[in-house]
Amino acid sequence: MNRRTLLITTVLLLLFTKPILADCIACWELKYIRITLNNEKVIEGYFRWNEVWPKVFNKENKELNTFYQEVVVYKNYIGQKNLILYNQIYQIESPLTFFALYTTTDLVDTVNIENIKSIEIINLNEKSIVAAGDITDLEINSKKLLKKTPISFYHDEGICGETFFLSYNDRINEDSLKQISKTRDCWLKRKYYEEQNVILITNSWD
């Protein structure tokens, strides 16, 4: 099974229409793209994109004739020099019942915009896959743990999204997870918690 087929069969997302992408600046549609670098090396992967972004953030009204130019305008506006490319993205599956996306750290590539010669969108002829916010990147071992029922579970809901706290450590119960959720920088410490077999996953709405 290749990467494209695996993503479609493992990711079962909410499907949105184009108007929702236009109304939600934080929303994105998953695109499969082919990047050609200045040294002619070619890499492919999945990229979060909203076709409204270059229109909204093109403050200098530059003429944009290529997808690469659109990406550069958007990245410059938000102050990012790198493009994040995903080799694979997964959705939470049984025995877990909540909705969230994630990937693993070994499946994420970072490409400097200045090293890119061109970007091409590859049409997979599949339904649009749309979500919002960031995609949680987990360690490889965490992906294996998610196939099991956690020992303890806690759900924290906010204005723009929700965070799921899953413990596969018998020394960390639901009360402990609640305390972790109250920690101001708990999300920044998620890799530390993963070392203790505690997984944090977000699902953004906007």
Side-chain angles (χ1 to χ4, degrees):
M1 183 179 293
N2 60 33
R3 290 185 304 181
R4 303 180 191 185
T5 304
L6 185 58
L7 179 133
I8 299 302
T9 56
T10 56
V11 177
L12 191 58
L13 286 175
L14 295 173
L15 303 180
F16 294 97
T17 61
K18 295 296 183 182
I20 289 184
L21 279 177
D23 293 336
C24 175
I25 296 299
C27 296
W28 44 260
E29 182 178 10
L30 205 59
K31 300 287 188 179
Y32 192 83
I33 62 174
R34 177 180 295 130
I35 296 175
T36 301
L37 301 177
N38 292 328
N39 62 6
E40 300 303 330
K41 179 181 178 181
V42 176
I43 54 178
E44 295 183 359
Y46 294 93
F47 177 60
R48 293 175 297 159
W49 185 249
N50 186 332
E51 61 187 25
V52 172
W53 288 343
K55 299 179 177 67
V56 173
F57 299 118
N58 186 10
K59 300 301 182 181
E60 298 179 3
N61 294 317
K62 294 180 178 179
E63 184 176 351
L64 307 177
N65 299 314
T66 66
F67 182 56
Y68 171 71
Q69 291 174 340
E70 292 182 346
V71 172
V72 170
V73 163
Y74 169 65
K75 289 293 184 179
N76 285 341
Y77 181 85
I78 63 176
Q80 291 183 359
K81 298 296 183 181
N82 295 321
L83 182 152
I84 306 300
L85 202 63
Y86 302 93
N87 294 323
Q88 229 162 269
I89 296 172
Y90 303 97
Q91 184 198 351
I92 293 297
E93 297 178 315
S94 178
L96 301 173
T97 57
F98 62 87
F99 173 82
L101 293 177
Y102 71 95
T103 187
T104 53
T105 53
D106 62 311
L107 298 175
V108 182
D109 290 328
T110 301
V111 186
N112 191 302
I113 292 291
E114 294 182 357
N115 295 331
I116 297 177
K117 180 179 180 180
S118 65
I119 307 175
E120 177 186 2
I121 297 177
I122 309 299
N123 186 4
L124 297 181
N125 296 317
E126 298 287 349
K127 293 180 179 179
S128 295
I129 298 174
V130 179
D134 293 328
I135 298 174
T136 305
D137 61 316
L138 300 175
E139 301 299 331
I140 298 175
N141 184 59
S142 295
K143 181 175 180 290
K144 299 175 183 176
L145 290 177
L146 290 175
K147 297 182 182 296
K148 305 175 183 179
T149 301
I151 296 171
S152 300
F153 176 89
Y154 179 67
H155 172 228
D156 185 29
E157 188 172 306
I159 297 175
C160 298
E162 55 194 342
T163 303
F164 303 94
F165 299 79
L166 299 88
S167 172
Y168 294 88
N169 185 333
D170 56 12
R171 293 172 297 182
I172 300 178
N173 57 23
E174 183 178 353
D175 287 337
S176 298
L177 294 178
K178 288 181 181 178
Q179 290 303 314
I180 291 174
S181 73
K182 294 177 183 178
T183 304
R184 207 168 174 185
D185 58 349
C186 67
W187 184 249
L188 297 178
K189 293 181 178 179
R190 67 187 188 280
K191 296 301 180 183
Y192 164 75
Y193 295 125
E194 275 192 84
E195 293 175 0
Q196 303 177 58
N197 289 339
V198 173
I199 300 173
L200 280 63
I201 299 180
T202 62
N203 176 33
S204 299
W205 304 320
D206 196 357

